[in-house]
mmCIF file of all heavy atoms in Angstrom:
data_model
loop_
_atom_site.group_PDB
_atom_site.id
_atom_site.type_symbol
_atom_site.label_atom_id
_atom_site.label_comp_id
_atom_site.label_asym_id
_atom_site.label_seq_id
_atom_site.Cartn_x
_atom_site.Cartn_y
_atom_site.Cartn_z
ATOM 1 N N LYS A 127 -31.429 -2.435 17.509
ATOM 2 C CA LYS A 127 -30.086 -1.864 17.592
ATOM 3 C C LYS A 127 -29.327 -1.985 16.252
ATOM 4 O O LYS A 127 -28.156 -2.338 16.218
ATOM 5 C CB LYS A 127 -29.275 -2.540 18.709
ATOM 6 C CG LYS A 127 -29.770 -2.260 20.116
ATOM 7 C CD LYS A 127 -29.432 -0.856 20.549
ATOM 8 C CE LYS A 127 -29.821 -0.619 21.988
ATOM 9 N NZ LYS A 127 -29.508 0.751 22.426
ATOM 10 N N GLN A 128 -30.048 -1.678 15.192
ATOM 11 C CA GLN A 128 -29.455 -1.827 13.853
ATOM 12 C C GLN A 128 -28.203 -0.989 13.675
ATOM 13 O O GLN A 128 -27.189 -1.446 13.156
ATOM 14 C CB GLN A 128 -30.500 -1.477 12.792
ATOM 15 C CG GLN A 128 -30.030 -1.619 11.363
ATOM 16 C CD GLN A 128 -31.172 -1.448 10.381
ATOM 17 O OE1 GLN A 128 -32.123 -2.203 10.408
ATOM 18 N NE2 GLN A 128 -31.074 -0.443 9.544
ATOM 19 N N ASP A 129 -28.255 0.258 14.107
ATOM 20 C CA ASP A 129 -27.083 1.140 13.953
ATOM 21 C C ASP A 129 -25.870 0.602 14.705
ATOM 22 O O ASP A 129 -24.742 0.623 14.194
ATOM 23 C CB ASP A 129 -27.410 2.542 14.429
ATOM 24 C CG ASP A 129 -28.272 3.303 13.429
ATOM 25 O OD1 ASP A 129 -28.737 2.697 12.468
ATOM 26 O OD2 ASP A 129 -28.460 4.535 13.643
ATOM 27 N N GLU A 130 -26.083 0.112 15.909
ATOM 28 C CA GLU A 130 -24.953 -0.406 16.684
ATOM 29 C C GLU A 130 -24.380 -1.669 16.040
ATOM 30 O O GLU A 130 -23.163 -1.886 16.069
ATOM 31 C CB GLU A 130 -25.422 -0.715 18.119
ATOM 32 C CG GLU A 130 -25.919 0.486 18.885
ATOM 33 C CD GLU A 130 -24.925 1.656 18.887
ATOM 34 O OE1 GLU A 130 -23.724 1.396 19.109
ATOM 35 O OE2 GLU A 130 -25.349 2.784 18.647
ATOM 36 N N THR A 131 -25.254 -2.483 15.450
ATOM 37 C CA THR A 131 -24.772 -3.672 14.733
ATOM 38 C C THR A 131 -23.899 -3.285 13.549
ATOM 39 O O THR A 131 -22.815 -3.858 13.338
ATOM 40 C CB THR A 131 -25.965 -4.510 14.245
ATOM 41 O OG1 THR A 131 -26.763 -4.908 15.358
ATOM 42 C CG2 THR A 131 -25.504 -5.761 13.500
ATOM 43 N N LEU A 132 -24.316 -2.301 12.788
ATOM 44 C CA LEU A 132 -23.558 -1.875 11.620
ATOM 45 C C LEU A 132 -22.251 -1.179 12.007
ATOM 46 O O LEU A 132 -21.230 -1.347 11.363
ATOM 47 C CB LEU A 132 -24.407 -0.952 10.745
ATOM 48 C CG LEU A 132 -25.566 -1.658 10.055
ATOM 49 C CD1 LEU A 132 -26.579 -0.680 9.491
ATOM 50 C CD2 LEU A 132 -25.031 -2.561 8.927
ATOM 51 N N LEU A 133 -22.285 -0.435 13.107
ATOM 52 C CA LEU A 133 -21.054 0.183 13.596
ATOM 53 C C LEU A 133 -20.047 -0.891 13.968
ATOM 54 O O LEU A 133 -18.866 -0.814 13.582
ATOM 55 C CB LEU A 133 -21.385 1.071 14.783
ATOM 56 C CG LEU A 133 -20.238 1.916 15.337
ATOM 57 C CD1 LEU A 133 -19.785 2.939 14.313
ATOM 58 C CD2 LEU A 133 -20.657 2.632 16.630
ATOM 59 N N ARG A 134 -20.499 -1.928 14.654
ATOM 60 C CA ARG A 134 -19.610 -3.032 15.023
ATOM 61 C C ARG A 134 -19.127 -3.759 13.791
ATOM 62 O O ARG A 134 -17.977 -4.185 13.718
ATOM 63 C CB ARG A 134 -20.314 -3.971 15.981
ATOM 64 C CG ARG A 134 -19.401 -5.063 16.514
ATOM 65 C CD ARG A 134 -20.108 -6.052 17.397
ATOM 66 N NE ARG A 134 -19.189 -7.012 17.968
ATOM 67 C CZ ARG A 134 -19.564 -8.112 18.564
ATOM 68 N NH1 ARG A 134 -20.850 -8.429 18.659
ATOM 69 N NH2 ARG A 134 -18.671 -8.944 19.079
ATOM 70 N N TYR A 135 -20.003 -3.907 12.808
ATOM 71 C CA TYR A 135 -19.660 -4.626 11.554
ATOM 72 C C TYR A 135 -18.451 -3.951 10.881
ATOM 73 O O TYR A 135 -17.442 -4.603 10.583
ATOM 74 C CB TYR A 135 -20.865 -4.601 10.636
ATOM 75 C CG TYR A 135 -20.667 -5.306 9.301
ATOM 76 C CD1 TYR A 135 -20.686 -6.681 9.205
ATOM 77 C CD2 TYR A 135 -20.478 -4.556 8.134
ATOM 78 C CE1 TYR A 135 -20.505 -7.313 7.988
ATOM 79 C CE2 TYR A 135 -20.299 -5.192 6.914
ATOM 80 C CZ TYR A 135 -20.316 -6.564 6.838
ATOM 81 O OH TYR A 135 -20.147 -7.207 5.622
ATOM 82 N N TYR A 136 -18.547 -2.653 10.652
ATOM 83 C CA TYR A 136 -17.447 -1.968 9.973
ATOM 84 C C TYR A 136 -16.212 -1.766 10.845
ATOM 85 O O TYR A 136 -15.093 -1.826 10.360
ATOM 86 C CB TYR A 136 -17.944 -0.643 9.411
ATOM 87 C CG TYR A 136 -18.769 -0.790 8.134
ATOM 88 C CD1 TYR A 136 -20.134 -0.585 8.138
ATOM 89 C CD2 TYR A 136 -18.173 -1.177 6.941
ATOM 90 C CE1 TYR A 136 -20.884 -0.753 6.990
ATOM 91 C CE2 TYR A 136 -18.919 -1.349 5.793
ATOM 92 C CZ TYR A 136 -20.266 -1.135 5.805
ATOM 93 O OH TYR A 136 -21.002 -1.287 4.667
ATOM 94 N N GLU A 137 -16.431 -1.602 12.163
ATOM 95 C CA GLU A 137 -15.267 -1.516 13.066
ATOM 96 C C GLU A 137 -14.485 -2.822 13.055
ATOM 97 O O GLU A 137 -13.236 -2.804 13.076
ATOM 98 C CB GLU A 137 -15.722 -1.171 14.473
ATOM 99 C CG GLU A 137 -16.147 0.255 14.663
ATOM 100 C CD GLU A 137 -16.691 0.546 16.054
ATOM 101 O OE1 GLU A 137 -17.103 -0.432 16.778
ATOM 102 O OE2 GLU A 137 -16.702 1.704 16.455
ATOM 103 N N THR A 138 -15.185 -3.945 13.002
ATOM 104 C CA THR A 138 -14.512 -5.255 12.974
ATOM 105 C C THR A 138 -13.693 -5.412 11.718
ATOM 106 O O THR A 138 -12.515 -5.835 11.769
ATOM 107 C CB THR A 138 -15.552 -6.397 13.076
ATOM 108 O OG1 THR A 138 -16.294 -6.259 14.294
ATOM 109 C CG2 THR A 138 -14.864 -7.756 13.038
ATOM 110 N N ILE A 139 -14.264 -5.075 10.564
ATOM 111 C CA ILE A 139 -13.490 -5.167 9.310
ATOM 112 C C ILE A 139 -12.269 -4.276 9.362
ATOM 113 O O ILE A 139 -11.147 -4.695 9.013
ATOM 114 C CB ILE A 139 -14.404 -4.813 8.119
ATOM 115 C CG1 ILE A 139 -15.546 -5.798 7.998
ATOM 116 C CG2 ILE A 139 -13.589 -4.790 6.818
ATOM 117 C CD1 ILE A 139 -16.670 -5.337 7.064
ATOM 118 N N ALA A 140 -12.455 -3.053 9.814
ATOM 119 C CA ALA A 140 -11.342 -2.085 9.862
ATOM 120 C C ALA A 140 -10.238 -2.537 10.803
ATOM 121 O O ALA A 140 -9.059 -2.191 10.603
ATOM 122 C CB ALA A 140 -11.869 -0.730 10.271
ATOM 123 N N SER A 141 -10.589 -3.328 11.810
ATOM 124 C CA SER A 141 -9.577 -3.799 12.755
ATOM 125 C C SER A 141 -8.699 -4.913 12.201
ATOM 126 O O SER A 141 -7.622 -5.217 12.732
ATOM 127 C CB SER A 141 -10.238 -4.282 14.047
ATOM 128 O OG SER A 141 -10.905 -5.538 13.852
ATOM 129 N N LYS A 142 -9.131 -5.539 11.099
ATOM 130 C CA LYS A 142 -8.444 -6.704 10.555
ATOM 131 C C LYS A 142 -7.493 -6.366 9.397
ATOM 132 O O LYS A 142 -6.630 -7.168 9.045
ATOM 133 C CB LYS A 142 -9.433 -7.736 10.072
ATOM 134 C CG LYS A 142 -10.409 -8.224 11.146
ATOM 135 C CD LYS A 142 -9.718 -8.947 12.266
ATOM 136 C CE LYS A 142 -10.741 -9.482 13.256
ATOM 137 N NZ LYS A 142 -10.054 -10.177 14.391
ATOM 138 N N VAL A 143 -7.659 -5.184 8.778
ATOM 139 C CA VAL A 143 -6.808 -4.816 7.637
ATOM 140 C C VAL A 143 -6.500 -3.306 7.763
ATOM 141 O O VAL A 143 -7.191 -2.563 8.457
ATOM 142 C CB VAL A 143 -7.499 -5.067 6.266
ATOM 143 C CG1 VAL A 143 -7.564 -6.551 5.981
ATOM 144 C CG2 VAL A 143 -8.882 -4.436 6.226
ATOM 145 N N ASP A 144 -5.466 -2.894 7.059
ATOM 146 C CA ASP A 144 -5.053 -1.481 7.079
ATOM 147 C C ASP A 144 -5.553 -0.700 5.881
ATOM 148 O O ASP A 144 -5.479 0.539 5.851
ATOM 149 C CB ASP A 144 -3.523 -1.380 7.139
ATOM 150 C CG ASP A 144 -2.949 -1.970 8.413
ATOM 151 O OD1 ASP A 144 -3.634 -1.876 9.467
ATOM 152 O OD2 ASP A 144 -1.841 -2.523 8.379
ATOM 153 N N ILE A 145 -5.996 -1.395 4.853
ATOM 154 C CA ILE A 145 -6.406 -0.745 3.604
ATOM 155 C C ILE A 145 -7.631 0.140 3.821
ATOM 156 O O ILE A 145 -8.463 -0.126 4.666
ATOM 157 C CB ILE A 145 -6.708 -1.813 2.527
ATOM 158 C CG1 ILE A 145 -6.760 -1.184 1.133
ATOM 159 C CG2 ILE A 145 -7.953 -2.612 2.870
ATOM 160 C CD1 ILE A 145 -6.751 -2.238 0.011
ATOM 161 N N GLY A 146 -7.691 1.247 3.070
ATOM 162 C CA GLY A 146 -8.812 2.153 3.158
ATOM 163 C C GLY A 146 -10.117 1.497 2.725
ATOM 164 O O GLY A 146 -10.154 0.740 1.755
#
Side-chain angles (χ1 to χ4, degrees):
K127 292 286 185 181
Q128 181 171 300
D129 283 10
E130 298 307 315
T131 300
L132 291 166
L133 187 64
R134 185 183 185 194
Y135 180 77
Y136 283 109
E137 286 177 339
T138 301
I139 296 166
S141 73
K142 302 297 184 181
V143 289
D144 296 327
I145 194 168

